[in-house]
Amino acid sequence: MPKISFRVMPASRESISEVQTGAARKPNLCIETPVIPMHGFWIMDDTSVVVETIDSESTAENPADIALYQRVMDELWTVAVEGDDARAMVARLATETAASR
């Protein structure tokens, strides 16, 4: 069975601390994202990455290209939350969305 990781990138540093402490919502200060991908991509395994741009989709199979996308993903993981923190963040956003309707 393939390993799948799910993490959430918070909109702000406060989002992380709010999840961890249950504090009330504070003014939103953007987090510093180590990289900003200009298009979507999915690392399928060690042999391919699916790259999606506005008008096309392609598969990268060159080891150097795959390594580049893996480095980008590693950088993005440094600011993402997982586990209980990610579940709490998604639950809070769902509650806020339902309350705003």
Side-chain angles (χ1 to χ4, degrees):
M1 175 184 266
K3 180 181 176 186
I4 297 173
S5 294
F6 178 80
R7 297 184 191 179
V8 178
M9 289 189 56
S12 70
R13 283 181 175 41
E14 281 69 29
S15 296
I16 297 170
S17 65
E18 287 172 18
V19 166
Q20 294 169 339
T21 65
R25 191 171 196 113
K26 300 173 187 167
N28 200 13
L29 298 174
C30 293
I31 63 168
E32 209 170 292
T33 306
V35 293
I36 300 174
M38 298 320 231
H39 53 267
F41 65 93
W42 294 263
I43 299 174
M44 305 309 284
D45 52 31
D46 291 339
T47 64
S48 66
V49 175
V50 174
V51 180
E52 187 174 284
T53 63
I54 291 172
D55 67 342
S56 64
E57 179 180 290
S58 64
T59 301
E61 295 175 333
N62 179 303
D65 294 337
I66 295 167
L68 171 65
Y69 284 101
Q70 288 171 331
R71 284 193 306 273
V72 168
M73 185 58 71
D74 289 344
E75 289 292 319
L76 292 171
W77 280 152
T78 66
V79 295
V81 293
E82 64 183 329
D84 290 341
D85 289 343
R87 281 187 286 281
M89 185 173 290
V90 170
R92 188 193 79 211
L93 291 172
T95 300
E96 288 176 4
T97 301
S100 69
R101 291 182 178 201

